[in-house]
Amino acid sequence: MGAKRLSRRSFILGGIATLSYLYFDLHSIAVKRYTIKISKLPAEFQGFTILHLTDLHSKEYGDSQRDLIELIHRQQFDAVAITGDLVDKSNPSMKPAISLVKGLQSKPIFFVPGNHEWWTNYQIKSSLEDQGVHILENGHFKYYIGNSHIWIMGVDDPYLGRDQLDMAIAGVSGSEPKVLLAHAPNIFSKAINCKIDLVLAGHTHGGQVRLPLVGAVAVPGQGLFPELDYGQFTAGSTNMIINGGLGESVLPIRVYNRPEIVLITLVSYP
């Protein structure tokens, strides 16, 4: 009888611990930092830091995103890049996304759409424009500090085949660094061919469920055990950061994979 009682108690305690861990993974936001070395980075952009957000999926972190915005405001950054899926087709409410954007307006904000924007008829576009967000759908922006600049470019969603990198790069000249925003990471090979310095992508959610030493179990568009799932990828002079995102899709679960905000700092080669 004592052994049965102990077994039942162990089962209950184990269940509580598991649920607590899953809740922590789902709601505790991580802050991930990368330092990217870029050739010919203008001196004015040394230490320039981009806050990268992606895949909110209409998720809320406190009233009017208070908890998320407070965490962001404790960080130091110069510009904001949002790479799509602010809304979710199963919850197309724009309020969580617009509340977040309103809390970021002290910095320039750049946005590219994801598949869920298009699956909700891209209704959020005009609201983002009303908030002063720079929307880059196969286009570019010349970002100046003093007399120096870098290029911030964006493509429409590669997952849906809407990306036109040749259009985004048209008119981009000179050797200044090029930063490309894309919702999905399958733009990587095209970015390498175009000698893009840095690609910021999302879409994968890091797989939502990750296994130690293995990584993501599955990612939409890449199937089981995908190659481009999460983190930093480098080929030649091109770096890509895949952000695990803030929200979830299909199932509200994350395992070994907390929601995150990402800070990318640009530095020049020695």
Side-chain angles (χ1 to χ4, degrees):
M1 183 69 71
K4 285 185 179 179
R5 225 181 257 121
L6 184 61
S7 176
R8 186 179 303 156
R9 183 180 300 169
S10 298
F11 177 79
I12 292 171
L13 290 175
I16 291 171
T18 299
L19 290 173
S20 298
Y21 174 78
L22 291 175
Y23 183 87
F24 177 79
D25 258 14
L26 194 61
H27 296 285
S28 177
I29 306 168
V31 179
K32 184 79 181 219
R33 302 177 189 274
Y34 297 89
T35 299
I36 301 296
K37 294 181 179 180
I38 293 182
S39 177
K40 298 181 180 178
L41 183 72
E44 291 87 345
F45 284 88
Q46 178 73 15
F48 185 83
T49 298
I50 302 169
L51 170 68
H52 180 205
L53 308 175
T54 195
D55 296 276
L56 180 68
H57 284 276
S58 301
K59 188 173 180 178
E60 296 183 90
Y61 289 93
D63 185 44
S64 298
Q65 302 290 18
R66 182 188 63 238
D67 298 341
L68 175 54
I69 291 169
E70 286 180 356
L71 173 64
I72 288 172
H73 283 173
R74 292 199 293 269
Q75 317 306 318
Q76 298 293 320
F77 56 94
D78 301 286
V80 182
I82 304 176
T83 54
D85 282 6
L86 279 173
V87 295
D88 192 278
K89 68 176 181 180
S90 65
N91 178 18
S93 170
M94 294 184 288
K95 183 181 176 182
I98 299 304
S99 294
L100 174 59
V101 168
K102 285 181 176 179
L104 301 173
Q105 287 180 320
S106 62
K107 306 291 184 181
I109 305 171
F110 300 89
F111 173 82
V112 293
N115 48 300
H116 281 260
E117 271 77 41
W118 288 109
W119 288 346
T120 52
N121 299 315
Y122 207 170
Q123 296 178 38
I124 199 171
K125 182 176 182 177
S126 60
S127 296
L128 292 175
E129 290 174 330
D130 290 344
Q131 298 302 319
V133 174
H134 302 282
I135 296 178
L136 300 174
E137 295 168 24
N138 302 316
H140 58 261
F141 184 92
K142 203 172 186 178
Y143 194 110
Y144 274 96
I145 296 179
N147 293 321
S148 298
H149 70 273
I150 63 173
W151 296 99
I152 297 181
M153 303 182 296
V155 290
D156 205 341
D157 182 27
Y159 178 68
L160 296 179
R162 302 182 65 95
D163 58 297
Q164 296 184 51
L165 184 53
D166 55 344
M167 183 183 296
I169 209 167
V172 172
S173 59
S175 60
E176 287 77 15
K178 302 173 184 66
V179 177
L180 175 65
L181 312 186
H183 177 61
N186 49 305
I187 194 73
F188 193 38
S189 59
K190 294 179 183 177
I192 294 167
N193 291 336
C194 290
K195 294 181 169 37
I196 304 297
D197 296 281
L198 174 63
V199 182
L200 302 181
H203 181 66
T204 69
H205 307 177
Q208 287 191 200
V209 175
R210 298 182 64 81
L211 300 178
L213 305 177
V214 175
V217 174
V219 163
Q222 295 187 56
L224 293 173
F225 306 110
E227 178 185 359
L228 300 175
D229 59 343
Y230 173 75
Q232 182 174 351
F233 298 83
T234 303
S237 61
T238 301
N239 282 281
M240 179 169 69
I241 304 297
I242 303 177
N243 184 329
L246 286 162
E248 297 77 43
S249 182
V250 182
L251 294 174
I253 186 171
R254 282 179 178 262
V255 177
Y256 290 111
N257 180 17
R258 291 164 60 191
E260 67 180 13
I261 65 173
V262 171
L263 295 159
I264 303 105
T265 300
L266 310 184
V267 298
S268 60
Y269 280 113

